[in-house]
């Protein structure tokens, strides 16, 4: 089978098209014929070996695929890896049958970004109706869905951040009440904390979904109201936030919650409750998934270059059947 393999850690140049033996099913694992594979910002971290879970080379990236199972049923699956290929192994607990009307991009977006956004708000932030929610990187795969889900869950006010006017317009179209440029809000004489409070009509905010790190994390934490929560699920800037001491958290009744989707698999029902709700919302026309681009498998390097440069929004897809 054709696959994209990382033999040495690095940037997009580390992605190499190779021929490999098809993976051998063992235990309860299913062998899927892949028709589409999702591309995520986290994949760039894996290729550089600065992801949460350390990698061992060589490996085939890819955390989610749409394909056909051994019975010919069309499914979407969350994987331990190996998705950038014509065939991949999936566990039945993270494999979900698809209705015909659910396209590949939607399925791939919901099984990873969608379940992430759902658990960020419902499981980690424990969002209550009437709270204010800040969504950073609101035009990204998780951010687009988090804005919409926050509205569905009864947010009083949704504040989005995004780096370009077009992305901020998109965030407002998806349901954000206000959209800010985080770069413009962080300067020598300004603070992201002040910009977020101003955007919330002069009041501190309740929940921040944060995946940038560095000064964005620092300003977001300072913007919290008592009992507010920052849920951190990435460090896209590759700059660590300022270390947090317990004393200031106690003095302000603020919380910092880490999230990694892997741990949600251990919850009762795994990802199934989230997937069922997400698919139902999409079927009802209340949850929109954005296409970010479809690339031939051979162009995985270009997909990584585009997503790392922040030139994209929505879901990026690799298509093994697409001709370069």
């Amino acid at each position: 089978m054709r696959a994209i393999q990382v033999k040495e850690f690095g940037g997009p140049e580390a992605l190499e098209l190779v021929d490999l033996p098809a993976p051998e099913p063992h235990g309860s694992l299913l062998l899927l014929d892949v028709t589409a594979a999702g591309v995520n910002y986290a994949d760039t971290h894996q290729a550089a070996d600065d992801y949460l879970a350390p990698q061992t080379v060589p490996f085939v990236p890819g955390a989610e695929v749409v394909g056909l199972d051994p019975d010919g049923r069309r499914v979407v699956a969350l994987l331990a890896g190996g998705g950038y290929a014509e065939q991949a192994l999936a566990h039945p607990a993270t494999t979900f049958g698809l209705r015909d009307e659910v396209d590949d991009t939607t399925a791939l977006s919901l099984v990873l970004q969608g379940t992430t956004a759902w658990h960020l708000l419902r499981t980690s932030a424990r969002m209550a109706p009437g709270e204010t929610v800040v969504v950073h990187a609101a035009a990204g795969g998780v951010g687009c869905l988090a804005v919409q889900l926050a509205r569905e869950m009864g947010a009083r006010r949704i504040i989005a951040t995004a780096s370009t006017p077009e992305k901020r317009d998109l965030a407002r179209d998806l349901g954000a009440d206000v959209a800010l440029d985080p770069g413009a809000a962080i300067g020598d004489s300004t603070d992201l904390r002040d910009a977020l409070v101003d955007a919330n009509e002069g009041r501190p905010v309740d929940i921040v979904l944060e995946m940038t790190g560095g000064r964005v994390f620092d300003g977001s934490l300072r913007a919290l109201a008592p009992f507010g929560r920052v849920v951190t699920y990435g460090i896209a800037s590759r700059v660590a936030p300022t270390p947090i001491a317990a004393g200031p958290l106690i003095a302000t009744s603020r919380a910092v919650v880490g999230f990694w989707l892997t741990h949600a698999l251990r919850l009762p029902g795994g990802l199934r409750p989230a997937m069922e709700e997400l698919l139902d919302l999409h079927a009802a026309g209340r949850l929109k998934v954005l296409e970010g681009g479809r690339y031939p498998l051979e162009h995985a390097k270009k997909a990584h270059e585009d997503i790392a440069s922040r030139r994209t929004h929505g879901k990026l897809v690799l298509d093994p059947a697409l001709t370069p």
Side-chain angles (χ1 to χ4, degrees):
M1 68 173 187
R2 294 181 306 140
I4 298 296
Q5 190 177 60
V6 175
K7 296 180 181 178
E8 295 183 5
F9 295 119
E13 74 284 352
L15 303 180
E16 182 180 343
L17 181 69
V18 298
D19 285 315
L20 294 175
E24 291 286 341
H26 55 277
S28 60
L29 294 179
L30 306 172
L31 180 63
L32 305 183
D33 292 322
V34 176
T35 57
V39 177
N40 303 292
Y41 195 85
D43 298 347
T44 70
H45 283 283
Q46 287 185 321
D49 197 29
D50 58 6
Y51 190 57
L52 289 170
Q55 301 295 309
T56 301
V57 290
F59 71 95
V60 175
E64 77 271 16
V65 299
V66 169
L68 301 179
D69 71 7
D71 295 324
R73 185 179 62 139
R74 181 168 170 264
V75 298
V76 62
L78 191 68
L79 312 177
Y84 290 14
E86 292 179 317
Q87 292 181 295
L89 295 177
H91 194 283
T94 55
T95 301
F96 307 92
L98 293 173
R99 297 188 285 260
D100 291 341
E101 61 270 20
V102 180
D103 61 76
D104 291 349
T105 301
T106 295
L108 291 168
S109 183
L110 294 185
V111 79
L112 196 150
Q113 280 94 355
T115 57
T116 294
W118 191 93
H119 279 290
L120 287 171
L121 290 165
R122 201 177 287 284
T123 305
S124 293
R126 300 191 181 276
M127 179 191 159
E131 291 192 303
T132 299
V133 179
V134 177
V135 180
H136 289 303
V142 173
C144 285
L145 295 168
V147 167
Q148 297 175 77
L149 288 174
R151 181 65 67 201
E152 287 289 330
M153 295 178 186
R156 182 189 68 81
R157 191 168 180 82
I158 301 170
I159 301 166
T161 74
S163 59
T164 68
E166 294 77 16
K167 290 182 178 182
R168 292 191 288 276
D169 287 343
L170 172 62
R172 284 186 285 263
D173 289 343
L174 292 174
D177 296 287
V178 61
L180 308 174
D181 178 355
I186 299 175
D188 294 336
S189 60
T190 58
D191 190 317
L192 180 61
R193 180 263 177 204
D194 297 333
L196 294 177
V197 170
D198 288 346
N200 196 33
E201 302 171 322
R203 291 176 286 184
V205 302
D206 299 305
I207 295 169
V208 181
L209 306 185
E210 208 291 299
M211 49 72 69
T212 302
R215 295 176 68 184
V216 173
F217 178 98
D218 296 345
S220 298
L221 180 59
R222 291 195 298 273
L224 289 181
F227 303 107
R229 294 85 77 198
V230 168
V231 184
T232 175
Y233 65 104
I235 309 179
S237 69
R238 291 177 164 84
V239 177
T242 301
I244 301 168
L249 292 180
I250 296 168
T252 56
S253 295
R254 295 168 177 162
V256 176
V257 184
F259 177 81
W260 189 16
L261 185 62
T262 296
H263 296 124
L265 301 175
R266 305 174 187 175
L267 297 173
L271 298 184
R272 197 161 298 278
M275 276 298 287
E276 289 176 353
E277 183 172 345
L278 293 167
L279 287 168
D280 287 346
L281 286 171
H282 181 265
R286 292 158 55 191
L287 188 63
K288 181 179 180 181
V289 170
L290 302 178
E291 294 190 10
R294 199 173 186 98
Y295 302 73
L297 187 63
E298 290 87 342
H299 291 180
K301 174 182 175 180
K302 178 65 163 56
H304 274 225
E305 290 172 343
D306 289 346
I307 200 169
S309 68
R310 313 298 174 84
R311 290 195 294 263
T312 66
H313 61 267
K315 186 64 182 177
L316 306 190
V317 176
L318 296 179
D319 185 340
L322 195 61
T323 303

